Amino acid sequence: MSVSTPVRPAPVTSEAREPRPPRAAVATWLIPLGYVAVALFGTWWIAIDLAALRDGASDISRLLARMVPVTFGLVPALLGLVLETLWIALAGTGIAALVSLPLAAAASRDFTGPKPVQWLARGLIVVTRAVPSLVFAIVFVRIFGLGPFAGALAIAFHSVGMIAKMMTDVFEELTPAPRESIDAVGSSRLQSFVATTLSRAMPSVSSLVLYRLDINIRASAVLGLVGAGGIGVALQTAIGSLNYHLAAGIIVVIAVLLLALELISFLSQRAVAEHAHDGTVAELYRRTPDPTRPGWNRGRALRTGSAVVFAGALLFALTQVRFDPGRLSRSWQSTLDLLAGFVPPVIDPAVVTGIFESLVMALTATTVGVVAGLVIAVLSSPHLIRFAPLSALLRILVVLIRSVPDVIYALVFVAALGLGPFAGFLALSISCTALAAKFFTDSLENVDPAPLRALEATGASRLQVFVSGVWPRFVPSLIGNSLFTSDLALRESAVLGIVGAGGVGFVLQESVATLDYGTTAGVLICLVVVVVALEAVARWARKKVI
Amino acid sequence: MSASATRPENGPSVQLHDVGMSFGHKQVLSDIDLEISPGHFVALVGPSGAGKSTLLRLLNGSHLPTAGRVSVLGSEPATCSRRELQQLRTRIGFVFQQFGLVGRLSAMENVLMGALGSLRMPRYGVSTYPRDLRVRAAENLERVGLLEERFQRCDTLSGGQQQRVAIARTLMQDAEIVLADEPVASLDPSASLSVLETLRRLSAEDGFTVVCSLHQVDLALRISDRIVAVRDGAIVLDRATSQTDETELRSIYSDRAAA
Amino acid sequence: MRLALSLTVSLAAVALVASGCAESPNARGGSSGSDDPSELVFAVVPTEDGEDLAKSFEPVVAAIEKKTGLDVSMETVSSNAGVIEAQVAERVDVAVYGAFSYYLAQDVADISPVAIDQLTPDPGSGTVNSYGVVKAGSDISSIEDLKGADVCFTDPASTTGYLAASAGLIEAGLDPEKDINPVFAGGHDTAVTQMLAGDCDAAFAASTFIDDILPAKGVIKEGDVTKIWTSDGLPGSPMVVGNWLPEDVRKDVTAAMTDYDAVSAAEDGLCEGAEREAPAPWGEEYAGKKACEWGGTGAFAFEPATDAVFDPIRKICDVTDADVCREE
């Protein structure tokens, strides 16, 4: 560094980002403290008793024993379901990713267009995230009929909320300098966005879209509601009829599918790695005698190849989910009737208690998940421990944990602990751990290595580099991702209904099953409120920390 | 290739009259009067926080003055529409301390981005730019001595090389003015000198005006035609470089330390 | 900022105090499976037509508490597998769920059915049916006509929404997998509405949906659908008790169910303040009397049940040899 202490270039956009008072640290401890406080309350509320878990160990092993030997039923039929699931999830995720791009760009705080557009984009993101795919499925099946198209669309709508939200975060984390310089050449907003924001966000964006694809494959159970079949329904049927051999077989198939996806994701991330890791080719194109003509080398082939493969897979998936426009006119009236059922929304004490319970459980489970996920993430990132087999092992472990559906965890804990919130809470904690581990691993990997190398060059130990180089830059995403995990856990809390922990999941499912859509609407409104509140805390925290 | 040949009028490149600038309650600049003639290389010196960056941003319309008039290349950014401002900016190059490059893209693509103002649609990837622009990008990379590195990822280049890429990017604009905000503050002394010399040479060849803020007094004396010193939001010195000596300039910094 | 801080700190303090001193609303007696239980765990899985499930079982819980002298903690659970596994581990003492769940559970858990719901004062009135319906004016007039048709079902593990119909098709000489094109709609209501929307030619669903729920919600109107097939009566929702409970407790639970009916429960004050008027199908005898909500199906009473009540399910499973019926 030179002797001068350069002033950060003044922001181009407005006074909004004038130097802030140095209160940055507040959010970094206030939010964790809040989590701990809620977790303490939750511990009491849930009546956590780890000794009971030990006492139930034999019941767990008896249940697991009933899953072996694993069977696969009719293998061609199962493979057919896997493919069907894959196409629906691909089409849904692809549509969602395309819709999310402009939404996230408009919702980002760097958006310089009209304010109402920004509010609208933010509102759409929050609402689509808060509405469970179950509800989208009910509506779309009325509009588009039974079949994969309604399923893909339900998945797409729900995914928009999460993908766009994470994209917004990615966009906002980018330094403003390149965008300002391209704005300064007189480019249009769109040109500048594509050239400086999208291009830099590409690695993170593609990894989060792949991650959502992973979630959507597992979430395909909801497709049963729209008669699209898929592997999720087969799994639900197997569990519902206590055919655990087949259930275990299906889980193995899902795990293989997710591991394959993880491998693809890992390889493609390496191909487009954001930072020049050792071994990354520095030359993006091969030089040819004509200086203006970019030639082909391995890196370019990989980049172009993966883009073509993904685009091709998406297009193919879209042809697999057939859309029948003629049906729209026929279903108009019944759709209106259905939507009319949502009015007036009913918010009764059962809904409010349900939301409260779910929120307490989600926050408590997040606290557990964040701590466990942090340990996994730190161990599997190269900052402290550089032992590739361990990191690979942990990555695989996280995928395996994720491929087992919540209902199986719930069953295992119910066998050990009986019905009630404790079993549901443990199941939820496991899914939170997997979520948090995934988020944290990714953001630890995305920490810019240049300053770390500088620190290492001063002779600092790995621990010192981690504490003073990595950690401060990781804290914003730690806090942001923790809040986001709670947000997702709130909706995953349907698992609590499976085991008798009440919560909003049970209320929602029951209201849908009994066609009590007024209550469904009440639940949705409460969910939107909670998600908006969490989002507001997250935004406040990001503002303070970043 | 000479930009001065295409310039329609020969009035001053930049004209500031009684300009003041404040953010909320904080007065950053006051009573600035400045006129810069075409083709000149002006160094803007002064301690951190003196208002140099703000002054440069007034010149490309990123900030609008809260008092007085700013006129750049015959237009007033304050009265421009968004579209007109965009057009004005295509004629003004800007070089940042942090280079403002997209690290994971190639040098060539970053240079090509300088021409986005003359294109309509967004672009992604070197091959999406028209061939004539690629020819010019290669020429400009050659002019800053980086032709061989054209397809290298920018974040694998050295600091000095990255700043040259940024300069090549402004060349794509055929800019009439290049504004440089501490372009060498994060570079080592030898890279700093060579970057500034490149800028100076290109300015002489193409005839564009340069306004360059600098921390290093010695570099300012070595490279510029004229030195403007700013302190506490006001111009405290403005004269030809040949008539300025180092001690006088240094006092601008040390006075502040004494005060 | 100070406000946020003090709120957080006080929340933490409250949490600490609460966890130190007070009994959690979810705290457990934790004595299930022992010879001398101090608390019974009662689990309920929603059947299709539950209104407010927890509330409708409150009088039943009160009756059991009164007869056994034990505390009863009730859990409403959305997964039948969850309840059955808890029964396998002897952690749920009493449960009410669908007949097919019992058929699955009796294989793995040590349980007995003690009572089954009865919708009116007539014994056996708790049986349910599966209906096959078509859009009014359809060419299809009997189950035999379904050859080659698209048929909407609920899901493969539903008795009234698939299994019974599947047995009916086999008896009519049709293979439910090959001779028709089955479409699983996910729910009884969707099976019917999507049939009306033209996604399939016929639909099978539980009788309560076609007779009561869908007309009451205005989803179908009189004359919208034509019934082409009705199944034999299928058992309703049984109450199942764990055999690990001491004999006297099991007797008391059974007595609580069979001694009371919805009206006598109301007279005994088991649902004070939540009484409803006896519905018309209960007949003259009860007209105008106060009654309790008596379980999730709005039953009149529970009648004693034995394993033989479930023979219709066994028969369906024998006929269809369905995957979901297979024993471990």
Side-chain angles (χ1 to χ4, degrees), chain A residues 2 4-7 9-12 15 18 112 177-178 180-192 194-196 198-200 202-203 272-276 280-288 290-295 300, chain B residues 23 48-49 57 60 62-63 82 86 89-90 92 94 96-102 104-106 108-109 113-114 116-117 119-127 131 134-135 138 147-148 150-153 155-156 169 173 181 185 187 215:
Chain A
S2 70
S4 61
T5 41
V7 199
V12 173
E15 298 95 306
E18 275 307 285
T112 50
E180 284 168 10
S181 16
I182 297 308
D183 284 344
V185 306
S187 65
S188 70
R189 263 202 291 265
L190 182 62
Q191 286 175 328
S192 160
V194 172
T196 63
L198 187 61
S199 66
R200 281 187 296 161
M202 215 35 141
V272 294
E274 180 152 25
H275 299 296
T280 310
V281 269
E283 197 120 276
L284 293 175
Y285 305 94
R286 200 168 57 77
R287 275 171 293 161
T288 58
D290 174 357
T292 66
R293 191 172 301 280
R300 188 183 184 193
Chain B
F23 295 111
S48 296
R57 278 170 174 69
N60 85 335
S62 294
H63 289 335
R82 198 187 148 82
Q86 216 170 298
R89 282 185 184 173
T90 62
I92 306 171
F94 209 115
F96 294 82
Q97 180 196 332
Q98 303 298 345
F99 322 134
L101 300 176
V102 175
R104 51 179 300 273
L105 297 182
S106 62
M108 173 80 109
E109 190 165 355
M113 282 179 205
L116 277 173
L119 293 168
R120 274 235 179 99
M121 299 303 287
R123 307 284 155 155
Y124 195 91
V126 169
S127 342
R131 189 175 154 75
R134 279 184 276 147
V135 170
L147 188 61
E148 283 302 291
R150 61 188 177 274
F151 294 136
Q152 197 120 336
R153 271 175 74 116
D155 53 11
T156 63
R169 182 175 64 194
Q173 292 174 250
D181 189 8
L187 304 181
H215 260 313

Side-chain angles (χ1 to χ4, degrees), chain C residues 50-281:
Chain C
E51 276 292 305
D52 187 341
L53 200 63
K55 216 155 125 209
S56 62
F57 272 98
E58 268 167 22
V60 173
V61 166
I64 296 176
E65 286 186 329
K66 197 163 172 180
K67 288 278 181 186
T68 59
L70 299 172
D71 284 341
V72 174
S73 86
M74 180 168 64
E75 303 284 4
T76 47
V77 184
S78 58
S79 149
N80 66 331
V83 173
I84 295 171
E85 289 317 319
Q87 284 180 318
V88 172
E90 303 189 356
R91 293 179 201 279
V92 160
D93 304 303
V94 185
V96 173
Y97 42 46
F100 189 66
S101 297
Y102 167 71
Y103 170 84
L104 294 170
Q106 44 120 30
D107 228 25
V108 288
D110 184 20
I111 48 165
S112 308
V114 296
I116 192 155
D117 63 335
Q118 169 186 346
L119 292 178
T120 70
D122 302 322
S125 58
T127 54
V128 294
N129 292 99
S130 168
Y131 286 165
V133 290
V134 293
K135 204 170 181 171
S138 162
D139 296 339
I140 297 168
S141 59
S142 75
I143 194 166
E144 286 85 4
D145 296 345
L146 290 177
K147 194 171 172 64
D150 295 333
V151 181
C152 281
F153 297 104
T154 302
D155 67 72
S158 163
T159 323
T160 48
Y162 179 65
L163 292 173
S166 178
L169 285 164
I170 290 171
E171 280 163 359
L174 296 176
D175 183 327
E177 279 166 23
K178 298 200 185 87
D179 291 336
I180 58 159
N181 174 27
V183 178
F184 291 103
H188 294 267
D189 59 321
T190 6
V192 177
T193 54
Q194 297 323 115
M195 183 271 291
L196 287 174
D199 291 353
C200 37
D201 306 312
F204 286 90
S207 49
T208 44
F209 270 85
I210 290 152
D211 291 338
D212 307 320
I213 298 174
L214 294 178
K217 296 279 177 190
V219 178
I220 57 175
K221 285 176 254 341
E222 184 80 40
D224 274 357
V225 299
T226 310
K227 212 187 297 173
I228 57 160
W229 180 79
T230 305
S231 71
D232 297 336
L234 300 165
S237 301
M239 171 176 283
V240 175
V241 173
N243 293 336
W244 56 87
L245 291 175
E247 173 125 30
D248 56 318
V249 176
R250 276 186 283 151
K251 274 212 177 100
D252 288 343
V253 172
T254 315
M257 298 317 297
T258 50
D259 288 2
Y260 282 113
D261 59 42
V263 174
S264 64
E267 284 163 1
D268 240 20
L270 293 178
C271 55
E272 256 181 70
E275 291 96 344
R276 58 168 184 161
E277 193 158 322

Side-chain angles (χ1 to χ4, degrees), chain A residues 241-284:
Chain A
S241 58
L242 310 189
N243 188 347
Y244 296 140
H245 305 294
L246 182 58
I250 295 174
I251 292 170
V252 168
V253 172
I254 294 179
V256 169
L257 192 61
L258 295 188
L259 278 173
L261 196 66
E262 179 80 4
L263 187 69
I264 294 173
S265 157
F266 178 71
L267 292 178
S268 64
Q269 249 172 313
R270 260 230 320 232
V272 294
E274 180 152 25
H275 299 296
H277 287 300
D278 303 330
T280 310
V281 269
E283 197 120 276
L284 293 175

